[in-house]
């Protein structure tokens, strides 16, 4: 019988471990096949898909060589590794010329262009992919991509160039329908109708027929057409919110039953870049028929809008920014979201008039927005001969607010001690006066003077006992004592601060009314056991109904952000404005200035009285579980 020495056994075990070892949770090629990689991809495990492909056996790689390259490309695309996708795709087209998967590779290239905001390149690439040997299912998917890309704006010259060299009948029809789409967007209904009349509907695919019918319906409508340029970050660092806003516009458009009006949008991608926004406004200004512009939606790009608003004659509607200085730059700027100064002033009016507070604390972020809010708050308090008892600031993420809350609590103790001292002084004076004012009446006329002296000493001793008991509890060792001397605390926090501030506030035992801003309205956080029960009565000053997003999402059965609902309201405001414009001889700016109490699904809007920053704010109160709007006269005539 063969006996193995210890070294031989160890070498054998080492070889076995290499053969059956794992890398990143995926076994070696002997355990997985290409079908396993496809299965992982279909389940959304894209990183695992790539690891399996890397470890496939040589025989699998040889048999599924083209399919493996394509699957790798798709997985990398899903992981947003666009540089790697391009590298794989270019190598594939060179290595496998005329491959049956060539149109799939081109489609992925087109999708990347679309994500990056290069819409004309995306359009060209989808058209090129359609020229290949494409299955019927893929034809419909490609055509949907082409028609979707049109919504972002394609130069008509691109279509003319493609028509010049195209021989495929189906693609030629798609190009002509694309031209009709652009004509309709530009309000050229008769021209679009002539283009569509030259297309034989029977030659179209099922997707093409559906789109053709939609275009025909638009040419036959007698409604007035209105076109609005929209400036959004469809690519770049803010592309997520740009796409969300555009989805909101599309949703509003699909739900609209406007009275005799077709409202269309030309979407300009500023790539999250103010320089690009500058070029877009230069382009828009070349069109003398521009009635209004919607966007941009972020602060830096909105500043560019403010500079152009001074020069042009059309209103610019800004959905999200809250910096009042933009509205001050030009009366052509309209802020849908109420500005910071207005919010600070209304918070102060509520504290002074509704709460009738005297001892007021402030805790705010030490950034631009926080300082604007606090300055407006304090200035408004001054009109009531009030001032904050203590003002504390924090910088960055408020992970620890121990110093700030201890300072506020220390001020609360000072106020408490002052009140106790005053009360003690008053009560001693009254007690002494009542005791000694007429001693003969109380003690009798035969009471000796030395006895009176002894009695007085007894009283002094008793008072000393009371005083020593009072001083047993001091602010240094009284963290568990609930202090009620701060009547209100104004806390306008930043967007992601609620989890930190809300969790820390209860630990400092301040029984007071919190007056906050929109960023206090996240019900998912407020309903946490360690937060919500401690801040019942919280009051917020807000325009948009951020607290209502979850309910709106439940109605739509979709998870959407505030930008989606801001877009819906912007669409409805513009529709209302255009209808009013058509029925009067006023300008669009005058129509917007006449908007008084327009209620959208996400906010309420008032520009009435010459205020180009929305002056309609809500005062909301948290009852421990939900918000309710409370009645207050402060929302009226704030200016």
């Amino acid at each position: 019988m063969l006996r193995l020495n210890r070294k031989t056994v160890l070498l054998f075990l080492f070889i076995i471990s290499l053969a059956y070892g794992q890398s990143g949770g995926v076994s070696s090629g002997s355990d997985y096949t290409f079908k396993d990689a496809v299965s992982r991809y279909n389940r959304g495990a894209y990183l695992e898909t790539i690891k399996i492909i890397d470890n496939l056996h040589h025989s699998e790689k040889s048999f599924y060589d083209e399919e493996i390259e394509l699957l790798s490309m798709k997985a990398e695309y899903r992981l947003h590794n666009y540089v790697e996708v391009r590298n794989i795709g270019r190598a594939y087209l060179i290595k496998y010329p005329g491959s049956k998967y060539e149109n799939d590779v081109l489609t992925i290239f087109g999708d990347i262009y679309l994500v990056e905001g290069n819409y004309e390149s995306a359009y060209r690439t989808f058209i090129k992919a359609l020229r290949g040997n494409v299955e019927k299912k893929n034809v419909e998917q490609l055509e949907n991509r082409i028609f979707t890309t049109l919504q972002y704006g394609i130069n008509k010259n691109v279509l003319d160039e493609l028509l010049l060299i195209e021989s495929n009948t189906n693609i030629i029809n798609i190009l002509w329908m694309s031209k009709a789409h652009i004509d309709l967007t530009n309000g050229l209904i008769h021209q679009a109708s002539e283009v569509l009349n030259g297309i034989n509907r029977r030659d179209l695919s099922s997707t093409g027929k559906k789109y053709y019918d939609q275009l025909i319906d638009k040419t036959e409508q007698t409604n007035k057409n209105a076109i609005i340029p929209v400036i959004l970050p469809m690519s770049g660092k803010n592309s997520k919110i740009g796409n969300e806003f555009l989805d909101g516009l599309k949703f509003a458009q699909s739900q609209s039953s406007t009275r005799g009006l077709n409202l269309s949008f030309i979407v300009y991608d500023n790539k999250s870049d103010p320089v690009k926004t500058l070029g877009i406004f230069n382009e828009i200004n070349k069109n003398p028929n521009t009635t209004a512009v919607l966007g941009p939606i972020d602060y830096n790009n909105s500043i560019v809008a403010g500079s152009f608003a001074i020069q042009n004659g059309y209103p610019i509607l800004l959905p999200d920014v809250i910096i009042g200085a933009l509205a001050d730059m030009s009366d052509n700027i309209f802020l849908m979201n109420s500005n910071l100064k207005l919010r600070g002033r209304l918070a102060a009016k509520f504290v002074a008039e509704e709460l009738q507070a005297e001892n007021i604390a402030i805790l705010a972020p030490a950034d631009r927005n926080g300082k604007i809010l606090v300055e407006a708050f304090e200035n408004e308090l001054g009109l009531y001969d009030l001032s904050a008892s203590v003002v504390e600031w924090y910088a960055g993420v408020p992970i620890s607010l121990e110093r700030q809350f201890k300072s506020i609590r220390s001020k609360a103790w000072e106020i408490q001690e002052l009140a106790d001292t005053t009360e003690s002084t008053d009560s001693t004076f009254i007690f002494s006066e009542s005791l000694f004012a007429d001693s003969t009446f109380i003690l009798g006329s035969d009471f000796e003077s030395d006895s009176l002296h002894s009695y007085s000493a007894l009283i002094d001793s008793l008072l000393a006992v009371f005083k020593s008991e009072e001083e047993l509890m001091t602010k240094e060792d009284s963290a568990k004592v609930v202090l009620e001397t701060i009547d209100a605390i104004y806390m306008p926090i930043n967007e992601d601060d609620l989890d930190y501030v809300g969790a820390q506030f209860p630990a400092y035992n301040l029984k007071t009314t919190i007056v906050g801003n929109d960023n206090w309205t996240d019900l998912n956080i407020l309903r946490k056991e360690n937060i919500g029960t401690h801040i019942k009565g919280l009051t917020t000053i807000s325009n948009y109904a951020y607290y209502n997003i979850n309910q709106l999402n439940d109605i739509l059965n979709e998870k959407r952000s505030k930008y989606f609902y801001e877009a819906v309201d912007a669409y409805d405001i513009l529709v209302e404005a255009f209808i009013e414009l058509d029925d009067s001889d006023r300008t669009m700016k005058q129509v917007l200035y006449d908007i008084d109490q327009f209620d959208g699904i996400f906010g309420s809007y008032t520009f009435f009285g010459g205020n180009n920053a929305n002056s309609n704010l809500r005062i909301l109160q948290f009852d421990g579980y939900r918000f309710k709007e409370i009645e207050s006269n402060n929302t009226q005539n704030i200016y």
Side-chain angles (χ1 to χ4, degrees):
M1 181 177 180
L2 180 64
R3 297 177 64 86
L4 300 177
N5 62 34
R6 185 171 180 272
K7 288 184 178 179
T8 305
V9 171
L10 289 174
L11 179 61
F12 177 77
L13 291 174
F14 175 72
I15 293 170
I16 291 296
S17 69
L18 287 178
Y20 291 95
Q22 295 183 347
S23 174
V26 177
S27 300
S28 65
S30 59
D31 291 334
Y32 285 98
T33 66
F34 174 66
K35 291 181 180 179
D36 294 320
V38 173
S39 175
R40 294 295 196 283
Y41 178 86
N42 290 336
R43 281 159 40 190
Y46 306 120
L47 189 59
E48 194 173 343
T49 301
I50 293 170
K51 289 181 178 180
I52 290 175
I53 289 173
D54 290 342
N55 288 281
L56 285 176
H57 192 275
H58 178 70
S59 60
E60 285 279 307
K61 289 183 177 180
S62 298
F63 189 79
Y64 294 106
D65 52 348
E66 290 188 46
E67 289 83 356
I68 287 172
E69 295 290 332
L70 181 62
L71 186 61
S72 296
M73 191 177 176
K74 288 185 174 183
E76 295 286 5
Y77 172 80
R78 295 292 186 178
L79 294 170
H80 310 296
N81 298 327
Y82 300 138
V83 173
E84 185 64 20
V85 173
R86 285 188 170 100
N87 290 336
I88 296 172
R90 276 195 294 265
Y92 183 95
L93 295 176
I94 294 171
K95 187 176 180 181
Y96 306 107
S99 168
K100 64 180 179 179
Y101 300 118
E102 181 176 320
N103 64 293
D104 294 287
V105 173
L106 292 173
T107 300
I108 297 173
F109 281 163
D111 288 340
I112 293 176
Y113 284 132
L114 202 58
V115 169
E116 294 176 342
N118 194 343
Y119 305 119
E120 290 182 359
S121 294
Y123 186 91
R124 290 176 184 273
T125 306
F126 291 142
I127 289 292
K128 186 174 182 180
L130 202 54
R131 293 193 187 109
N133 183 20
V134 189
E135 296 179 2
K136 182 179 179 181
K137 179 183 70 174
N138 291 339
V139 167
E140 293 178 354
Q141 291 176 351
L142 274 169
E143 289 180 353
N144 276 323
R145 279 177 164 87
I146 290 168
F147 297 140
T148 298
T149 306
L150 282 172
Q151 311 301 319
Y152 298 102
I154 301 295
N155 193 313
K156 212 170 182 180
N157 293 335
V158 172
L159 304 180
D160 292 333
E161 292 170 11
L162 292 172
L163 278 167
L164 192 62
I165 60 173
E166 190 56 60
S167 59
N168 183 296
T169 303
N170 184 47
I171 295 176
I172 290 173
N173 286 330
I174 288 173
L175 293 171
W176 280 115
M177 282 194 290
S178 298
K179 291 193 74 170
H181 172 98
I182 294 173
D183 287 337
L184 284 169
T185 300
N186 293 328
L188 304 173
I189 299 176
H190 179 71
Q191 194 167 316
S193 182
E194 286 185 345
V195 169
L196 293 172
N197 287 338
I199 298 173
N200 189 339
R201 186 179 181 279
R202 288 176 295 180
D203 294 337
L204 303 175
S205 66
S206 58
T207 303
K209 287 175 181 175
K210 182 178 178 181
Y211 194 69
Y212 175 88
D213 292 341
Q214 290 175 355
L215 294 174
I216 288 291
D217 287 343
K218 288 186 177 181
T219 62
E220 293 176 349
Q221 290 174 353
T222 59
N223 293 351
K224 178 183 176 181
N225 289 284
I227 303 162
I228 294 292
V230 184
I231 304 174
L232 297 173
M234 303 307 300
S235 57
K237 65 179 181 179
N238 295 324
S239 60
K240 184 176 180 180
I241 66 175
N243 282 280
E244 184 78 357
F245 193 91
L246 183 60
D247 285 346
L249 288 178
K250 291 178 178 177
F251 172 80
Q253 194 173 36
S254 69
Q255 301 296 309
S256 177
S257 56
T258 54
R259 306 185 300 273
L261 175 70
N262 290 324
L263 183 59
S264 302
F265 298 97
I266 301 176
V267 180
Y268 292 90
D269 178 18
N270 64 14
K271 302 183 186 298
S272 310
D273 182 3
V275 176
K276 183 70 174 175
T277 300
L278 188 67
I280 290 170
F281 271 109
N282 280 324
E283 185 68 25
I284 291 172
N285 283 348
K286 293 177 183 177
N287 184 356
N289 297 320
T290 300
T291 309
V293 172
L294 178 59
I297 57 176
D298 65 290
Y299 176 73
N300 290 332
N301 285 282
S302 294
I303 292 175
V304 178
S307 64
F308 266 93
I310 299 172
Q311 307 169 21
N312 60 49
Y314 53 79
I316 300 173
L317 205 61
L318 301 178
D320 194 63
V321 291
I322 52 179
I323 307 300
L326 279 173
D328 296 338
M329 292 175 69
S330 169
D331 59 2
N332 289 322
I333 289 285
F334 287 83
L335 303 184
M336 289 175 57
N337 207 355
S338 305
N339 69 57
L340 293 172
K341 287 184 179 179
L342 186 61
R343 292 160 187 256
R345 289 177 59 195
L346 182 56
K349 287 173 71 68
F350 178 79
V351 166
E353 294 183 7
E354 303 294 332
L355 299 183
Q356 296 185 351
E358 295 181 2
N359 300 315
I360 303 160
I362 298 174
L363 175 61
D367 55 21
R368 179 188 63 202
N369 289 4
K371 290 176 180 178
I372 293 173
L373 284 164
V374 170
E375 182 181 6
F377 181 82
E378 290 189 298
N379 288 343
E380 190 72 18
L381 281 183
L383 300 179
Y384 296 89
D385 292 327
L386 293 171
S387 62
S389 302
V390 56
V391 180
E392 288 294 333
W393 303 92
Y394 66 87
V397 180
I399 295 174
S400 174
L401 294 172
E402 180 180 8
R403 179 188 63 78
Q404 291 86 343
F405 278 127
K406 278 188 174 181
S407 172
I408 294 172
R409 188 171 172 81
S410 176
K411 177 56 68 174
W413 261 108
E414 288 181 20
I415 298 170
Q416 180 69 54
E417 288 176 340
L418 180 62
D420 290 346
T421 302
T422 304
E423 185 178 342
S424 175
T425 302
D426 292 345
S427 62
T428 302
F429 173 76
I430 294 168
F431 177 59
S432 300
E433 185 181 51
S434 62
L435 182 62
F436 298 112
D438 188 1
S439 59
T440 56
F441 174 77
I442 299 174
L443 302 174
S445 57
D446 58 346
F447 200 90
E448 298 294 331
S449 60
D450 57 343
S451 300
L452 180 62
H453 178 76
S454 299
Y455 193 80
S456 178
L458 175 62
I459 296 300
D460 288 341
S461 299
L462 288 171
L463 290 175
V465 170
F466 285 127
K467 185 176 181 182
S468 64
E469 286 184 355
E470 262 188 353
E471 291 178 349
L472 286 176
M473 186 69 72
T474 65
K475 59 187 177 184
E476 284 77 17
D477 60 1
S478 61
K480 294 182 180 180
V481 174
V482 176
L483 295 176
E484 303 182 31
T485 50
I486 298 294
D487 301 317
I489 178 168
Y490 182 47
M491 282 199 283
I493 61 177
N494 284 330
E495 186 171 355
D496 299 318
D497 294 353
L498 180 55
D499 235 335
Y500 301 100
V501 179
Q504 293 176 70
F505 175 76
Y508 294 90
N509 289 318
L510 293 166
K511 188 175 181 181
T512 184
T513 299
I514 297 174
V515 179
N517 57 349
D518 310 78
N519 298 321
W520 280 90
T521 57
D522 189 333
L523 288 175
N524 292 328
I525 296 175
L526 291 179
R527 286 173 179 170
K528 290 182 179 180
E529 187 176 351
N530 65 325
I531 297 177
T533 56
H534 302 283
I535 58 174
K536 186 177 180 181
L538 158 73
T539 301
T540 66
I541 311 297
S542 176
N543 172 37
Y544 287 133
Y546 297 108
Y547 66 95
N548 209 27
I549 286 181
N550 288 341
Q551 185 177 345
L552 291 170
N553 286 342
D554 288 342
I555 294 171
L556 291 182
N557 197 25
E558 294 183 55
K559 188 175 182 180
R560 291 297 188 176
S561 73
K562 66 175 185 176
Y563 299 102
F564 181 92
Y565 297 109
E566 287 175 6
V568 174
D569 280 3
Y571 179 92
D572 290 340
I573 286 174
L574 286 168
V575 167
E576 185 74 16
F578 272 107
I579 291 171
E580 289 291 324
L581 186 67
D582 196 40
D583 293 338
S584 70
D585 56 357
R586 293 171 294 170
T587 65
M588 175 59 82
K589 185 166 67 175
Q590 290 170 334
V591 168
L592 290 174
Y593 271 132
D594 286 341
I595 290 178
D596 186 14
Q597 193 66 36
F598 180 91
D599 293 321
I601 66 166
F602 196 50
S604 297
Y605 310 89
T606 293
F607 300 113
F608 185 73
N611 303 314
N612 53 339
N614 178 19
S615 61
N616 203 326
L617 282 162
R618 307 176 189 215
I619 300 179
L620 308 168
Q621 193 169 69
F622 182 62
D623 65 4
Y625 187 77
R626 63 175 59 86
F627 280 97
K628 62 178 181 179
E629 190 165 353
I630 62 177
E631 293 297 328
S632 172
N633 294 325
N634 291 327
T635 55
Q636 304 299 323
N637 303 317
I638 186 66
Y639 285 94

